Amino acid sequence: MVSTSAAMVAAYSIQLNTSDGGKLGLNFAPGSLEISQINSTGVVAAWNAAHPDDAVGHADRIIEVNGKGAKTHAAAGLLEELRKPQELNIVLCRAFSFSIQLDKRNDQSLGMTFDPNTLKIMTVGTSGVVAAWNQLQPKFSVQRGDRVLEVNGNRADDGASRVQDELRRSEERRVGKECRS
């Protein structure tokens, strides 16, 4: 049996003002604009308190700042824009995640590679249990750029090495996956 659950990817925008020297109060995952921490003080915390229905969340990703998109200006360019004391129009998106069940009892390979530190999926092959999943569930396919969040209860937050070990040795895997935004 294969089970999946998913939420929609949603883009939303917020307006902040740091012209008075206020700090955003955000930390980002290395090399990206994925929010890893929202501090209890700062302009974003104030936004969240005033707009609970539109609150910025952990793992949301900044995709545009003042009309500059991440695809054309890269993370460094947007970070530079965020650091300027000014009015900010920020577009963010929420990633979604879902679970997949992979059965490797017939000694098949996974058919994918991933970064050992971040668990970001680097390649997905045309054979293996992941390719079989992708053929059965094209709407919820595993793709390059996705990230493994947990395997059989071993969460990435508790250490990537535990997740890697479980991916490699277990015959049956229940995988929680974060999708690209």
Side-chain angles (χ1 to χ4, degrees):
M1 179 177 107
V2 176
S3 64
T4 63
S5 63
M8 297 300 292
V9 173
Y12 65 100
S13 51
I14 63 172
Q15 293 72 41
L16 304 174
N17 192 337
T18 58
S19 60
D20 63 356
K23 301 290 182 199
L24 289 175
L26 295 176
N27 292 334
F28 298 99
S32 78
L33 292 170
E34 179 182 321
I35 297 169
S36 62
Q37 180 179 351
I38 302 170
N39 300 329
S40 59
T41 60
V43 179
V44 173
W47 168 272
N48 284 352
H51 302 89
D53 291 339
D54 296 316
V56 176
H58 181 267
D60 288 358
R61 189 178 318 261
I62 295 175
I63 57 173
E64 183 179 300
V65 178
N66 293 343
K68 296 180 179 179
K71 289 185 179 179
T72 55
H73 291 82
L78 296 187
L79 283 170
E80 182 179 319
E81 191 71 18
L82 288 169
R83 289 185 180 115
K84 294 177 185 175
Q86 62 181 328
E87 289 188 20
L88 296 166
N89 185 18
I90 302 172
V91 178
L92 302 100
C93 75
R94 299 189 198 281
F96 67 94
S97 62
F98 57 88
S99 297
I100 64 175
Q101 187 168 333
L102 303 173
D103 185 352
K104 194 180 168 218
R105 284 181 261 192
N106 295 332
D107 206 27
Q108 291 180 303
S109 73
L110 280 174
M112 71 175 188
T113 62
F114 52 88
D115 181 290
N117 298 312
T118 64
L119 300 175
K120 183 176 182 177
I121 297 170
M122 305 308 285
T123 62
V124 178
T126 56
S127 62
V129 294
V130 172
W133 165 267
N134 286 350
Q135 286 181 334
L136 290 171
Q137 299 291 333
K139 281 188 169 184
F140 302 109
S141 63
V142 175
Q143 296 183 22
R144 183 175 177 262
D146 291 350
R147 182 169 297 148
V148 178
L149 298 176
E150 79 174 51
V151 178
N152 297 341
N154 293 293
R155 296 184 44 80
D157 294 345
D158 298 330
S161 62
R162 291 176 59 189
V163 172
Q164 290 177 56
D165 291 344
E166 191 68 21
L167 270 171
R168 289 188 178 109
R169 74 169 169 221
S170 183
E171 290 181 345
E172 193 168 337
R173 297 167 185 85
R174 194 174 221 40
V175 180
K177 179 183 88 72
E178 176 186 71
C179 302
R180 63 246 153 245
S181 44

